[in-house]
Amino acid sequence: METAMTREMYKEMGIDSKVFDFGQKIAEELAPRFEEINQVAEYNQLKVVHAMQKCRASEACLYASSGYGYNDIGRDTLEEIYAETFHAESALVRPQIACGTHALAVALAGNLRPGDELLSPVGKPYDTLEEVIGIRPSKGSLAEYGVTYRQVDLLEDGSFDYENIRKAINEKTRLVTIQRSKGYQTRPTLSVARIGELITFVKEIKPDVICMVDNCYGEFVETIEPTDVGADLIVGSLIKNPGGGLAPIGGYIAGKTEYVENAAFRLTSPGLGKEVGATLGVNQPFYQGFFLAPTVTASALKGAIFAANIYERLGFSVVPDSKESRHDIIQAVTLESAERVIAFCKGIQAAAPIDSYVDPEPWAMPGYDSDVIMAAGAFVQGSSIELSADGPIKPPYAVYFQGGLTWEHAKLGIMMSLQKLYEKGLVELP
Ligand SMILES: *Cc1c(COP(=O)(O)O)cnc(C)c1O
């Protein structure tokens, strides 16, 4: 299938024929799997275009507003489009939301009051949430405002601990937070169907509890979203899946009108809510990014599956494995040595369109208990829908890989990671 020209081009970019042949064979074997992903992308593409048409997206929606941003038709229509796509009543989609953590913090702080309790029935939440909640003491945490927190871990086999979840729900429980993606943990990512089962269980015990899903890395991976299975709120970052690689900043919160408004009063100000917040020219990339998001997410998924198949074939442990169904775009590969983690990340960096000449090195990053190496050559700083990888330099020497705005680029990145391992004699190709 590959043309001689493509093979030559890979060679020119530093990919040995042996590496190319090994990778190419695996890529060809994955064709049926990729066809399934294409079908999900096709459905989701229709879903987004349908929403844009139904909400009458117009050229005027792409213009910039300034100052207070009153009557920003682009912003208001985009929020309708998100709500329509995710089958939610309402949405808040804003450049004033700095990142995913901020979106989650706003959703939580907007909907919890002193004396309320927050429950995570799926174990420890994402690292940055520990300071938002006050699990690790922090200025301005929910704990400082008198919101208590409870957590029920998943059982050893990854299933929900229904018995202890039932015990943990009490008269104070106001909001249940469910993280869809495993993030950088080893537990499995939750499918939307499993999230639905958990929400049904929680609502049977306490119907008026707010069920919020941290949807980061999950959007458009399946044909349904948590709002299709009873979630009252979903929250995510625009420099991940729904920004389609084009959004330069931003976050979203979608769900029941009352809860979205509570979040808006927290984001801007009580009384002002969704009425203010100029968009300063980001409407255009927000719209175009959301339009591209289904196919961009599909590309990232193909890259993750390609990586899983390559490294599993070479004898490394990969999560999810080469055959498993996917519910987010993150791929973990346990490389078993610091040298391999470093070589892998250098390969990802070398394949980047931006900063490809930079040589990443492990360093002591704040908030981590070991040195960490990170590879990213992105158009948008820190964007993890773009091809990126990072690995803490400590056992079991796992590297976390995600993103790829196009499948072709994700493929080059994985090939380059393998090339670096191969050059240094850290892997043997069959
Ligand atoms: C990325 C992520 C966050 C936080 O997002 P930032 O944009 O890094 O603040 C929260 N939860 C999950 C599951 C994530 O993947």
Side-chain angles (χ1 to χ4, degrees), residues 271-293:
L272 301 182
K274 293 175 83 176
E275 303 296 320
V276 296
T279 48
L280 306 172
V282 297
N283 279 339
Q284 195 272 341
F286 275 17
Y287 275 79
Q288 197 173 358
F290 198 55
F291 171 81
L292 291 176

Side-chain angles (χ1 to χ4, degrees), residues 376-399:
F379 297 104
V380 171
Q381 187 196 80
S383 167
S384 43
I385 187 63
E386 296 187 51
L387 191 67
S388 49
D390 43 73
I393 306 296
K394 63 177 183 186
Y397 300 104
V399 70

